[in-house]
Structures are given as structure tokens and as C-alpha cells.
């Protein structure tokens, strides 16, 4: 099922609650929160405190995308802050299975983020354990990049695999 996730990355942070309400009113299904640590990706954005504030501002599920090194160290904090879905990059964790288990342990739903150049064979066996696959149509960490249409065949392939499961 296709869902619309409104990202708060480009929102006016001084009016974040109002911005989220606008996305809600416009028909968004999820609120997408990009978390960057300045290590896995060069930029720094928000953390668990912002997720906690957003949880109070919306009834929509929070889809929290961890673009951070060793995300498994922070899963508990983000889950307790109110993350409904937590996605991570498989190349950032020591054990994908452990990260998925940790996300579930704290009551959130696991997802993975797939970079434009990621090898699909790594993730295919994980489909049964995931709530969502986030396909990056740009490289993580920077706003304003051009859409990469070469990712579309990967999305089609994953769609075919997910229908089979």
C-alpha cells in the first residue's frame, strides 16, 4: 500500500506543530522525521526531544528515519519518545537482525532505508520482518538533490517481492 509521508525536515521549526497540522489537514498518512548525526551523513538535524514534541502535536504515526552511525544505540530513546516506525540503514548497524529485534522490543515497527547504490540482495531476505522499506531517491544527508530515476527499477523489484510474501 502506498502512503504519503510528509517530511518535517524543511518545516519552519519555530512553528513545527502548525506545520505538522497542515500536513495532517492536507491528507498525509505519516509524519517523516529525518534524524542526522553529522557522522553517517554530514548534516545534523533533530533528536528524541523533537520526536517527543511531535508526538504531542499529531495523531499521525511518526516515521523516524535514523541516518546515524550505530542507530541501535538510540533505538530505545527514539521509541520511548514516540516513534511508531523506525527506519535505519543496514550499512550503519553491526547486526540488522538485532536492530530489528530492538525496535520491536521497544514497541515500534522496523523499517530499512535503501540508498540509491545499495545492493538489494542484502535486504530481500528481510522483507518478512519489516513494516516498510524506504527507498532513497537521493543520497541521504542533503536537501535539494535531484530525483534519481534509476532507483525506480529497484522499487518495482521490491514491490514484486513484497506481493509474493
Amino acid at each position: 500500500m502506498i502512503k504519503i509521508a510528509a517530511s518535517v525536515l524543511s518545516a519552519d521549526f519555530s512553528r513545527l506543530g502548525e506545520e505538522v497540522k497542515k500536513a495532517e489537514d492536507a491528507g498525509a498518512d505519516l509524519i517523516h522525521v529525518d534524524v542526522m548525526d553529522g557522522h553517517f551523513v554530514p548534516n545534523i538535524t533533530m533528536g528524541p526531544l523533537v520526536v517527543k514534541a511531535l508526538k504531542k502535536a499529531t495523531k499521525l504515526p511518526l516515521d523516524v528515519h535514523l541516518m546515524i552511525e550505530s542507530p541501535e544505540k538510540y533505538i530505545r530513546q527514539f521509541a520511548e519518545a514516540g516513534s511508531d516506525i523506525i527506519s535505519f540503514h543496514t550499512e550503519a548497524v553491526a547486526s540488522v537482525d538485532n536492530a530489528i529485534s530492538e525496535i520491536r522490543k521497544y514497541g515500534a515497527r522496523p523499517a530499512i532505508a535503501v540508498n540509491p547504490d545499495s545492493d538489494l540482495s542484502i535486504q530481500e531476505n528481510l522483507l518478512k520482518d519489516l513494516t516498510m522499506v524506504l527507498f532513497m531517491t537521493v543520497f541521504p544527508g542533503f536537501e535539494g538533490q535531484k530525483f534519481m530515476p534509476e532507483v525506480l527499477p529497484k522499487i518495482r523489484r521490491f514491490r514484486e517481492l513484497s506481493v509474493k510474501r
Side-chain angles (χ1 to χ4, degrees):
M1 177 187 309
I2 295 173
K3 296 202 176 225
I4 303 298
S7 175
V8 297
L9 187 59
S10 297
D12 176 348
F13 276 58
S14 70
R15 305 167 65 90
L16 199 50
E18 294 169 37
E19 298 276 281
V20 168
K21 180 73 173 122
K22 285 181 193 175
E24 236 179 66
D25 292 346
D29 299 301
L30 308 160
I31 299 298
H32 183 82
V33 183
D34 286 310
V35 177
M36 301 181 215
D37 66 356
H39 297 282
F40 184 71
V41 296
N43 289 320
I44 298 173
T45 57
M46 55 204 95
L49 291 176
V50 173
V51 171
K52 189 173 184 176
L54 285 169
K55 192 66 176 178
K56 293 175 186 174
T58 186
K59 294 179 180 120
L60 294 177
L62 297 180
D63 162 28
V64 178
H65 177 196
L66 301 180
M67 291 179 269
I68 62 177
E69 282 184 7
S70 305
E72 59 270 40
K73 293 179 184 177
Y74 304 96
I75 288 169
R76 180 179 183 176
Q77 290 173 293
F78 280 100
E80 289 177 350
S83 303
D84 295 291
I85 300 168
I86 298 176
S87 60
F88 62 92
H89 291 261
T90 57
E91 51 272 66
V93 296
S95 167
V96 173
D97 291 331
N98 288 348
I100 289 171
S101 294
E102 196 76 358
I103 291 168
R104 284 210 168 104
K105 175 181 171 182
Y106 291 107
R109 297 183 313 243
I112 59 168
V114 180
N115 284 339
D117 60 353
S118 290
D119 179 13
L120 285 178
S121 62
I122 297 169
Q123 285 92 23
E124 284 178 22
N125 63 331
L126 300 174
L127 281 177
K128 66 184 182 343
D129 299 322
L130 300 171
T131 296
M132 180 178 84
V133 177
L134 171 62
F135 285 93
M136 302 292 296
T137 56
V138 297
F139 285 98
F142 297 98
E143 299 179 67
Q145 297 177 65
K146 289 186 178 184
F147 174 79
M148 298 174 70
E150 58 270 25
V151 175
L152 293 175
K154 285 185 182 185
I155 296 170
R156 280 187 203 97
R157 182 167 170 222
F158 258 69
R159 176 72 177 145
E160 291 168 6
L161 288 169
S162 67
V163 168
K164 290 178 186 175
R165 55 171 193 152

